[in-house]
Amino acid sequence: MIPSQWDRRIRRADELTSTYPFAAEGLRFYSRVATFQKNLYDEIHKALPVSPKIEGEAPLRDDLDLFTLLPRFSGFLSLIERIAPAPLARSAADLSEQGSTGWQRTIRDFWQAEAESPAEVSAIEEDGAHDLSGAIPSQQLLAWIFLQPYAEYLANRRAPLHLDGTPSVCPLCGGKPVVGVLRGEGDGAKKSLICMLCAYEWNFRRIYCPACGEEREPQMAFYSAPEIAHVRVDVCDTCHTYLKTIDLTKTGLAVPVVDELATIPLDLWAREHGYQKLQINLLGT
């Protein structure tokens, strides 16, 4: 049953609140968000007709079922008002007052955005949650959180893809990768990337920058901390971007999207050394 993916995320977030106390507040928020997302995924699964998996390469974002999604948006905003950090809670309250027309616009704007736009979704900041570039408001972060289970549902309805090469963005929805993964293969490890929106995972080259395409080994490096040995920071010294990678050969119980959220000190280290994150996560880090 697919919702078990949400159970694993929730359970891992709960486990890491004691392991990484510096990330406990964010992980508790994520755990409650993931519980909502799990329930929404289940509701979408029940509401939409059962059909064979979709063949071909039609873009995932061609589909948007507002009839199914919109009635559930008000309850989502109410939840965020109760549990989110103050800036995001205020954004949820503001959006709630806009009513159905504003909700549709916000959902459509995010869903139909250019593939690179989600990387600029707002960080939760004290001054009102402006994004890293000042271009996308925090209401788009709300749309991202709300639409993620719908995107994952659509991704799970797609037949397996036969990819030509290793694309730097998600081959299903065009989203940027939010985290890398290393899985054991033979005597080494195979790398893959996970999409920030639909959670699709695709194979990727070990020495290659998903931001600028750099493939010269001297320009690519990775760093880790002994206290968080299973998570590393992959950096590119050409474009000065970074992406965290979870090494499952070191900690098999890790859940990549959750362990990425929890390892805040690595983000702080990277930014102090002049690197910019390729794709911020749902906590704005």
Side-chain angles (χ1 to χ4, degrees):
M1 184 68 178
I2 291 296
S4 64
Q5 66 198 25
W6 303 102
D7 291 329
R8 288 194 297 272
R9 294 169 192 171
I10 294 164
R11 186 165 55 248
R12 184 63 173 170
D14 293 340
E15 291 170 355
L16 292 181
T17 56
S18 57
T19 306
Y20 303 132
F22 49 79
E25 183 178 357
L27 288 169
R28 283 192 287 266
F29 170 64
Y30 173 76
S31 179
R32 297 189 68 178
V33 164
T35 299
F36 170 86
Q37 291 179 322
K38 173 190 173 182
N39 293 334
L40 179 57
Y41 186 103
D42 190 51
E43 291 175 12
I44 292 168
H45 177 74
K46 292 176 180 176
L48 297 181
V50 177
S51 61
K53 290 202 171 187
I54 298 172
E55 300 284 350
E57 299 181 0
L60 183 149
R61 295 201 204 200
D62 284 354
D63 297 324
L64 181 60
D65 190 340
L66 286 173
F67 181 81
T68 298
L69 293 171
L70 207 58
R72 296 165 170 83
F73 197 59
S74 176
F76 165 71
L77 293 176
S78 296
L79 173 68
I80 297 299
E81 285 186 62
R82 296 195 306 272
I83 70 171
L88 192 61
R90 287 196 298 269
S91 294
D94 292 342
L95 185 54
S96 183
E97 292 177 358
Q98 295 180 24
S100 179
T101 300
W103 305 345
Q104 290 187 55
R105 181 173 58 250
T106 298
I107 290 172
R108 286 187 184 277
D109 285 350
F110 177 85
W111 191 254
Q112 297 173 353
E114 295 291 337
E116 65 269 18
S117 295
E120 300 171 351
V121 172
S122 64
I124 304 171
E125 297 175 350
E126 291 299 325
D127 65 354
H130 293 295
D131 71 295
L132 297 177
S133 67
I136 297 180
S138 58
Q139 289 182 359
Q140 292 294 284
L141 177 56
L142 294 171
W144 178 11
I145 295 171
F146 178 75
L147 287 168
Q148 193 170 49
Y150 176 66
E152 290 200 38
Y153 174 81
L154 295 180
N156 289 328
R157 297 306 307 153
R158 293 296 198 274
L161 289 178
H162 301 288
L163 299 178
D164 182 13
T166 53
S168 295
V169 297
C170 176
L172 291 185
C173 74
K176 290 187 177 182
V178 72
V179 66
V181 185
L182 289 175
R183 300 180 188 278
E185 184 180 61
D187 295 329
K190 184 177 183 179
K191 186 172 184 177
S192 58
L193 302 178
I194 296 179
C195 175
M196 51 74 66
L197 179 59
C198 71
Y200 182 74
E201 184 174 340
W202 69 100
N203 293 334
F204 200 71
R205 293 163 60 182
R206 288 286 299 268
I207 307 297
Y208 193 81
C209 175
C212 72
E214 179 62 78
E215 56 186 345
R216 293 174 296 173
E217 191 165 347
Q219 295 299 106
M220 307 293 292
F222 68 86
Y223 303 91
S224 61
E227 303 83 0
I228 319 174
H230 73 293
V231 183
R232 72 186 206 185
V233 181
D234 292 337
V235 305
C236 174
D237 285 324
T238 298
C239 65
H240 301 287
T241 60
Y242 79 94
L243 182 73
K244 283 189 280 185
T245 294
I246 313 302
D247 190 344
L248 296 181
T249 68
K250 294 182 177 179
T251 302
L253 295 178
V255 177
V257 295
V258 181
D259 287 60
E260 197 285 330
L261 292 172
T263 49
I264 297 171
L266 297 179
D267 294 292
L268 298 176
W269 176 91
R271 286 164 179 161
E272 287 172 358
H273 286 78
Y275 298 105
Q276 183 176 3
K277 201 169 193 178
L278 175 63
Q279 169 62 56
I280 63 173
N281 57 42
L282 288 180
L283 298 183
T285 58

